Amino acid sequence: MGFWKPVLDMTVTGPRFLLAWTLLSSALLACLLLKKRNVRWFALAAGALATGTAVGLGVLWYCVFVDNTFGGPLIADVWFWAPASFAAIALAIANFRGGRWWRTVLAAGSVPVFIATAAFQVNASYGLNQTLGSVLNINTANTVRIPLRSTWLKSSERPLYETWTAPADMPQTGLRGKTPLPIPAKHSGFQARWSGLYLPPAALVKHPPLLPFVIMMMGQPGAPSPQPAGNVADAMAAQNHGLAPIILVVDQLGDPYSDPLCLDSNRGKVESYVMQDVLPWARANLPILQDRKHWAFAGYSDGGVCASYFAAKYPQDFGSYISISGEEFQGSEKPAYNLATVFGGNQAEYDAVKPENIMRAHGRYEDMVGVYTAGSKDPDYTKQAQRMLATALGVGIRASFFSVPGAGHVRNAVAGGLAEAFRILYPRWGLSPS
């Protein structure tokens, strides 16, 4: 990958990058529009643009309001760029006939440019895939070197913020990358992608302390990147002498366009992967505190419902959980489809794995903290979070809800939600005073 790595690591969300693609598309569109300079051609071109726009809007309408393909409403940028790309492609098709050969080649070559421009613009609006590699689902991250066990400090009964003194040579920021080797799936056989890992500054010194542990899952489609969580953790570490949790971002999808629902199902044994493969690996290889009070399960969107599920079902392992713009239950975007294809039409079996039903069946929870967040401009997921909040409070979980100001179902919802959750959990973890 050596030759291609600089290309794959290129940032695709910056204003200059986006402007370059937009200008290229605009120039191609102008060339296609000026094929001929007569009323008949301009009428045909206008018809093609209108037809393409209508088709694009129709496709989005079907996906959002009929099929619920995306599991919720779309941001305004999607409603602009998707129909715009359809319109431009329709104009390109209109250029295929009645022109010189080079114009046909130009029209054909413009189609992928129009698609790429719209894709880059929409991706930047959501803000979760920062590089070309992440957009293409190619992991180019460097491996993170984990401190040797022999160098770890022993834990103390006192809160870490009281006993920890940051050494002078401690790095200013943590490390983000991937685990040295893929986590073996010897029990589950689940074909997960490489896990992301964040080590805070305090974990990068000669003798690192044992730190709290956060296992996290991102959304669908998406990649197990530690960048969003690592950025928030670095900001917290800067205020707390380098202290932050170690964050392991694992893959619950395998294929970014398939959702195994965080269960052991015919789509893959994700639950076994997490509980029998990932957690034992983390306990054995990471400098983390071992008790449940210092363990949290976090997730965004599809990962958010996974966080609620694992915390509700395994309170002996997780003392807290963070659901950022999380779904109310697994596969809530297409419940009838998932009922048929995963549960064989057995509604009782499907209901049994929903977090709210697990919570009610469990009864009162002891010493469990739950944090639900959603963007203030994300009404659907806000309603789902508030319903889950009511259930959690009813079973004794010390739960709260935070509305991330100005955020939709996008990257700033992740950053804002995690920041609020860490603010709540830092005293519990012993990383800061109450």
Side-chain angles (χ1 to χ4, degrees):
M1 189 186 293
F3 175 78
W4 290 105
K5 192 175 188 304
V7 177
L8 295 172
D9 285 342
M10 177 175 55
T11 301
V12 296
T13 55
R16 292 183 180 179
F17 179 87
L18 297 174
L19 178 61
W21 279 91
T22 302
L23 291 176
L24 177 59
S25 288
S26 299
L28 289 171
L29 190 66
C31 290
L32 296 176
L33 188 61
L34 297 176
K35 175 183 177 181
K36 298 177 181 178
R37 299 181 182 180
N38 56 59
V39 174
R40 182 178 179 182
W41 163 247
F42 284 124
L44 178 61
L49 290 170
T51 300
T53 300
V55 171
L57 289 171
V59 169
L60 285 182
W61 179 87
Y62 175 82
C63 289
V64 174
F65 298 106
V66 179
D67 187 63
N68 197 23
T69 306
F70 310 106
L74 299 174
I75 61 176
D77 285 15
V78 179
W79 288 98
F80 173 79
W81 285 105
S85 66
F86 273 86
I89 291 169
L91 180 62
I93 294 172
N95 272 261
F96 285 169
R97 297 184 60 185
R100 298 181 179 179
W101 66 269
W102 60 266
R103 179 167 288 278
T104 302
V105 172
L106 178 70
S110 69
V111 172
V113 174
F114 295 146
I115 295 173
T117 300
F120 286 137
Q121 290 284 358
V122 170
N123 173 71
S125 298
Y126 280 98
L128 293 172
N129 296 309
Q130 299 289 298
T131 67
L132 181 61
S134 61
V135 170
L136 300 176
N137 194 33
I138 300 174
N139 191 339
T140 64
N142 295 322
T143 58
V144 175
R145 183 179 178 182
I146 300 172
L148 294 176
R149 176 180 286 272
S150 60
T151 66
W152 303 352
L153 295 176
K154 293 182 179 180
S155 61
S156 168
E157 293 184 359
R158 295 170 60 191
L160 189 55
Y161 79 89
E162 293 183 355
T163 62
W164 167 252
T165 300
D169 60 350
M170 184 185 71
Q172 294 297 308
T173 59
L175 287 181
R176 306 160 182 76
K178 56 188 180 184
T179 54
L181 293 171
I183 297 175
K186 58 183 180 180
H187 290 95
S188 65
F190 182 63
Q191 299 297 310
R193 292 169 291 176
W194 213 308
S195 297
L197 180 63
Y198 167 80
L199 296 182
L204 304 177
V205 300
K206 185 176 181 180
H207 294 289
L210 300 183
L211 293 163
F213 175 58
V214 175
I215 181 172
M216 184 168 183
M217 294 175 174
M218 295 300 289
Q220 187 215 13
S225 169
Q227 292 291 346
N231 292 342
V232 175
D234 262 356
M236 294 295 294
Q239 302 173 29
N240 293 279
H241 309 287
L243 295 174
I246 288 176
I247 304 173
L248 182 66
V249 186
V250 300
D251 178 30
Q252 79 277 22
L253 303 175
D255 178 346
Y257 298 100
S258 174
D259 183 9
L261 307 182
C262 276
L263 306 171
D264 284 353
S265 71
N266 53 8
R267 298 178 187 173
K269 293 186 176 181
V270 178
E271 188 168 350
S272 292
Y273 173 64
V274 172
M275 300 306 299
Q276 298 180 37
D277 293 320
V278 173
L279 294 195
W281 181 91
R283 290 186 188 277
N285 292 278
L286 298 177
I288 54 178
L289 294 160
Q290 298 289 328
D291 60 293
R292 62 178 295 278
K293 180 179 179 180
H294 294 94
W295 280 37
F297 207 122
Y300 160 66
S301 193
D302 177 84
V305 70
C306 296
S308 298
Y309 172 75
F310 279 100
K313 188 171 182 179
Y314 299 101
Q316 71 276 14
D317 293 294
F318 304 103
S320 53
Y321 64 97
I322 307 164
S323 176
I324 302 167
S325 305
E327 298 176 39
E328 193 170 2
F329 60 87
Q330 300 93 320
S332 62
E333 74 283 0
K334 291 185 178 181
Y337 172 77
N338 288 303
L339 173 64
T341 59
V342 176
F343 301 95
N346 189 326
Q347 186 66 59
E349 185 179 346
Y350 193 3
D351 290 342
V353 301
K354 296 177 180 179
E356 61 177 353
N357 293 333
I358 294 175
M359 290 179 182
R360 293 191 182 105
H362 180 276
R364 302 292 295 182
Y365 284 80
E366 298 295 332
D367 193 29
M368 174 72 80
V369 175
V371 182
Y372 296 93
T373 75
S376 64
K377 296 182 179 180
D378 193 5
D380 184 38
Y381 284 86
T382 293
K383 293 177 182 177
Q384 294 187 56
Q386 291 174 337
R387 287 194 293 266
M388 284 300 300
L389 173 68
T391 300
L393 290 172
V395 294
I397 296 173
R398 299 200 303 274
S400 61
F401 171 75
F402 177 69
S403 179
V404 182
H409 199 72
V410 292
R411 184 183 180 89
N412 54 352
V414 179
L418 268 181
E420 172 66 12
F422 284 0
R423 184 191 66 78
I424 293 172
L425 292 173
Y426 253 55
R428 175 177 174 83
W429 289 336
L431 300 184
S432 69
S434 298

